[in-house]
Amino acid sequence: MGAIGRAARRHLPHGTTPAARRHWPVAAVLAAALAVRAVALAGYPTGLWFGDSVGYLRVAVTLAPSITRASAYGVMLLVLRPLHSLFAVVVAQHLIGLLTAALLYALVWRHARAAWPDRLLRPGLLGAAATLPVLFDGYQIQLEHLLLSETLFTFLLVAAVVVLLWNARIGVWTAAAGGLLLGLAGTTRSVGLPLLAIVLVWLLARRRGAPWRPAAVLVTAFAAPLLLYATWFKVAHGRFALTGTENVFLYSRTVDFADCSIIRPRPGLLDLCPPKPPTGVSPAFAVLWTKQSPFFHAPGGKMGANERAGEFAWAAIRAQPVDYARVVARDTFRAFWWKRTVYPQRATFSKYDFPVKPLRLSKRQAKVTRAYTHRVQPVRVVEPYAGWTRAYQHRVYLPGIGLGAVLAVAAGGMLARRGAVRPALLPWLVSAGLLVIPAATADFDYRYVLPAVPFGALSAALAFVPRRRPG
């Protein structure tokens, strides 16, 4: 890295400012990443749709949170609604992706600069390297094009971790900011809620003296947006909660192994004994989204059956703990497979590729689009830019085994440099949590893997920074 820095300095023009000399690596990769996204926007000048997209847009139109999923992303759509453009939403999401990478760079550079104050380029090169999986992964770029919450969710989580790691000392204001960002992430995707436990364990383990004060402030700040959101949900749906179907999703996890001859559920739960799923569809997807779902004709739908679903799910976990652990481990390690395989079913899997042909909107999509943008526009495909984007996506991405290697490198670095454990451990645990939690509470999905990548890259970079820290 030192040789690269010396060679780069020789080629920088005379009179270059110190900031430019320090930060040209990230400026170069950000410019390249912006160019890749510009081509994607030229090829696909409309938003791409997923099954959840209608629900999120409906939040912005009706001002009521979704029953089935946390909907803070719908609030972002509401803020952008005056533009009456899904293209503007996609542009905003691409900019959020770039900003996420900028936060990663800033944190790594700050720690590396404190550790190597006499090295001009080493901090910049290491920081720029940490941004590469976020900036150039073709599936990450496609996810930013989808009308989904993952881009905003990832940004909020990265911002929370950056705040907590910015200085060596975590005071009450730092804890408050980190907790607030973490709470906002939890209202964007409920998978972020259990991460509070990870952050608290890390915080309490790293501090000497009286760690209870920042921990208490962090929990209080975390709870604030959740309470506001739950109040909003109660006004709209009559229940003080974040969703009305959290137990239904846990139930869907258990149908992959549940055996009613072992569980012996009470008579009122027998209709929840899992049916045989259709060919090519995961059991969890089948009971949630197909006509085989036990909630398809249930009074009140999924929300009406939420309590019974939770009772069945916990009975299954207690009766078959080994089977539950096996399924969770299987779907966690699915994230590390070299090749993407069709899961949870083909239609869902295909949504993660930029489309080849223009797509007409369904009636539901057209209705909510008309309410949001005042017009209906199909998904456009503009060649040759779309073809270039598809070719890029299928060639430039981090495979599952690559993510596993990043986490392994981070773990190895922490073991080799004991002093780097404190800052590097938090993003490593968050990355692992983002892989395990969906597998434990719902099902595996490829879009659930991508938010874990920035934290793995951040941990790997910080793990090789010596102990000297800023602040």
Side-chain angles (χ1 to χ4, degrees), residues 17 27 37 49 101 177 195 325 334-335 386 443:
T17 64
R37 284 161 172 79
W49 291 81
L195 295 177
R334 197 188 294 270
D443 195 7

Side-chain angles (χ1 to χ4, degrees), residues 112-302:
R113 180 66 174 168
W116 298 305
D118 58 335
R119 299 287 186 172
L120 181 65
L121 278 178
R122 183 178 293 182
L125 290 171
L126 183 63
T131 69
L132 297 181
V134 178
L135 291 177
F136 294 105
D137 188 302
Y139 288 96
Q140 174 66 43
I141 294 170
Q142 197 269 347
L143 187 63
E144 293 170 12
H145 230 86
L146 283 163
L147 301 173
L148 285 176
S149 63
E150 269 70 20
T151 299
L152 176 62
F153 172 71
T154 304
F155 169 75
L156 291 170
L157 271 186
V158 167
V161 170
V162 167
V163 165
L164 292 171
L165 293 178
W166 192 252
N167 293 315
R169 178 180 176 274
I170 298 180
V172 293
W173 289 109
T174 299
L180 180 62
L181 288 164
L182 194 62
L184 290 172
T187 63
T188 304
R189 274 198 61 209
S190 55
V191 70
L193 298 175
L195 295 177
L196 174 65
I198 290 175
V199 174
L200 282 177
V201 169
W202 173 83
L203 179 63
L204 294 172
R206 71 182 294 279
R207 284 184 58 90
R208 296 175 181 175
W212 59 267
R213 182 176 298 174
V217 170
L218 187 142
V219 171
T220 302
F222 173 84
L226 301 183
L227 292 173
L228 287 174
Y229 187 95
T231 302
W232 180 32
F233 192 91
K234 181 174 177 57
V235 170
H237 304 296
R239 182 178 181 227
F240 191 78
L242 300 182
T243 73
T245 57
E246 68 281 355
N247 289 326
V248 168
F249 282 90
L250 182 62
Y251 162 79
S252 75
R253 171 73 294 177
T254 63
V255 298
D256 212 332
F257 64 85
D259 185 341
C260 282
S261 66
I262 298 175
I263 301 169
R264 297 182 180 180
R266 64 180 178 84
L269 301 179
L270 289 176
D271 62 315
L272 297 181
C273 291
K276 183 178 179 180
T279 303
V281 177
S282 77
F285 187 94
V287 298
L288 286 176
W289 311 116
T290 71
K291 291 184 178 180
Q292 284 196 344
S293 170
F295 316 116
F296 195 71
H297 297 293
K302 294 183 179 72

Side-chain angles (χ1 to χ4, degrees), residues 396-431:
V396 183
Y397 65 93
L398 183 71
I401 196 171
L403 174 58
V406 168
L407 291 173
V409 166
M414 286 188 283
L415 290 174
R417 293 176 180 266
R418 298 286 181 88
V421 170
R422 284 186 179 181
L425 183 60
L426 177 60
W428 196 95
L429 291 174
V430 170
S431 185

